[in-house]
Amino acid sequence: MRAILTYADLLAARGHEVTLVVSARGVLRAAWRNARRVGPTWVPGFRPQVRWVAGWDARALPDADVTVATAWQSARVVASAPARCGAKFYLVQHYESLYHGAPDVVDATYRLPLHKIVISTWLAEIMRDKFGASTELLVTPVDRTLFHRVEARVSTPRPRVLMLHHEYAWKGVADGVEAVRRVRPRVPDLHLVGFGVKPPREPKLYDEFHADPPQDTLAALYSGCDIYLCPSWDEGLGMPPMEAMACGAALVTYDNGGSRDYARDGETALVARRRDVDDLATRLARMATDAPLRARLAAAGQAFVTTAFDWDRAIARLEALFARSATG
C-alpha cells in the first residue's frame, strides 16, 4: 500500500493529475467517504484525488492517459476498461495466487493484456516462466526520509532481534519463534522484539511487543535492534527487511523470492533455505554470536538498500514507462 501511495503522490508532485479509485464496498460508504474527502491520513499532504466507488466497475474509472491495476481484484476491471482510460498497466507486488484468492482466478489476471510492472526479479521470473509475460522490473525503494539510522536507547539485553508479527501462516512467525527458541541456549540474553498491526494472541511469544507503531517511530524501533529476522516463506519483495537494513539492522532471512534483490548471503545478509527452520536457526545463531560479522553485514546491507534503489530514479522511470505507452 505504501508503494502505491508513494508512486501516486510523487507523480502528482511532478505535475500529473492522479486519481486513486478505491472500492468502498457499498454505495453509501462510497458516498460518505467522497463527501468527506477521506484519504490516507498517514501520508501527510497526500496530493492525488481519491475517488471512492461502490465496487469494481470499469464504467467508474475516470478518463486517463494511463490506468493501473494494483492487485488481482482490479486487474480484470482495468483490462476491460474503455479506450478513454488510456494505456493499461498492472503493478504486480506479489505472486498473489499463492495466498490470496482462488489460484486459477488470480492466475488468469497475469494472462490479461496489461503492461506488467513487477517489483522483484523473482516476480519477473514467475511472470515469464509461468505465463510467458514480459515485464518491467522496478524494485520498490526504501523511503530514506523515514527509514535511516537514529539514536535509540534501549535498556534490555542484547542482541535484540526484531520480527514482524502477522496472523498469515506464510509470514512464518511460528518458524521465527522456533528458530529463536533453538538459539536461546547458546545466546541466553537474546531479546525477541515483535511489532505488527495487531498484538499476538499469545502474549508470551515476544519479550517485547509494539502494537501498530506510528510511522515516525519505526526508524527508532529498527535502529534499536541488532538483527532483523524475516521468516516469511514467500515475499514479492519484503519492505520491512529493507527498512530495517536502512536503519542499520543486520538481516537474517529465508530465501523467500523477493529478498534476492537485496539479501545476498554472506554479503548483505545471512540467507537460509526456504522453510528450513534448522537452517534459519543456524544463521540466526551465527549472526547473534559473531559481532564483527554482524557489524559488517549490517553496514553492507545498509549501504546497498540505500543506494541501489532510489525514489527519484524509480518515479522517473515509471513516468517514462507511462509516457512511452501513452504515446505509442
Side-chain angles (χ1 to χ4, degrees), residues 24-326:
R25 299 179 183 177
V27 174
L28 293 179
R29 281 198 191 107
W32 186 90
R33 291 176 183 179
N34 283 326
R36 286 158 180 77
R37 300 181 181 275
V38 174
T41 56
W42 51 280
V43 181
F46 189 66
R47 285 163 278 215
Q49 177 186 350
V50 179
R51 179 186 296 185
W52 295 91
V53 294
W56 294 119
D57 186 340
R59 294 170 297 181
L61 296 175
D63 293 357
D65 298 304
V66 171
T67 300
V68 185
T70 57
W72 72 268
Q73 293 94 331
S74 57
R76 193 172 296 281
V77 178
V78 171
S80 63
R84 61 177 178 77
C85 293
K88 301 171 183 179
F89 282 79
Y90 189 177
L91 177 63
V92 180
Q93 296 196 87
H94 206 331
Y95 181 33
E96 295 186 281
S97 307
L98 291 174
Y99 307 109
H100 302 288
D104 57 336
V105 174
V106 180
D107 275 355
T109 69
Y110 301 129
R111 300 185 178 94
L112 293 170
L114 301 170
H115 300 290
K116 294 173 184 65
I117 299 171
V118 296
I119 64 169
S120 68
T121 304
W122 176 66
L123 288 172
E125 292 169 351
I126 290 173
M127 293 299 114
R128 181 195 65 214
D129 297 343
K130 286 184 174 287
F131 306 104
S134 60
T135 59
E136 295 286 349
L137 173 62
L138 196 55
V139 177
T140 308
V142 171
D143 183 346
R144 296 200 297 270
T145 63
L146 274 177
F147 303 109
H148 53 271
R149 187 77 176 176
V150 299
E151 186 66 31
R153 295 182 180 178
V154 296
S155 57
T156 64
R158 289 186 182 270
R160 287 168 58 88
V161 177
L162 181 64
M163 186 173 75
L164 176 68
H165 182 81
H166 204 294
E167 295 301 327
Y168 287 158
W170 60 270
K171 287 294 186 180
V173 169
D175 289 13
V177 170
E178 176 60 18
V180 168
R181 187 191 69 79
R182 296 184 188 188
V183 170
R184 275 221 163 98
R186 291 185 58 190
V187 191
D189 285 341
L190 188 150
H191 190 80
L192 181 59
V193 183
F195 74 116
V197 175
K198 296 179 180 179
R201 295 172 185 173
E202 300 177 45
K204 294 182 180 180
L205 283 180
Y206 302 94
D207 300 308
E208 173 184 333
F209 193 84
H210 299 259
D212 198 16
Q215 294 287 305
D216 58 5
T217 66
L218 285 173
L221 179 59
Y222 287 138
S223 298
C225 292
D226 307 283
I227 299 167
Y228 187 88
L229 179 62
C230 180
S232 293
W233 303 342
D234 304 282
E235 286 288 349
L237 181 63
M239 292 309 299
M242 294 175 69
E243 293 164 358
M245 293 168 78
C247 294
L251 176 64
V252 177
T253 182
Y254 272 149
D255 177 9
N256 55 40
S259 62
R260 295 170 193 169
D261 282 294
Y262 55 88
R264 299 173 179 176
D265 189 41
E267 296 180 21
T268 61
L270 291 183
V271 182
R273 291 182 296 273
R274 179 182 180 273
R275 298 194 66 178
D276 185 334
V277 178
D278 282 340
D279 197 26
L280 188 68
T282 297
R283 308 280 174 154
L284 178 59
R286 184 181 174 201
M287 190 75 88
T289 57
D290 191 335
L293 172 71
R294 188 166 68 242
R296 176 175 66 81
L297 294 182
Q302 182 181 43
F304 184 78
V305 298
T306 56
T307 57
F309 318 112
D310 174 81
W311 270 112
D312 288 337
R313 296 197 301 268
I315 198 66
R317 179 138 178 273
L318 184 65
E319 186 180 47
L321 290 173
F322 287 170
R324 187 175 67 200
S325 296

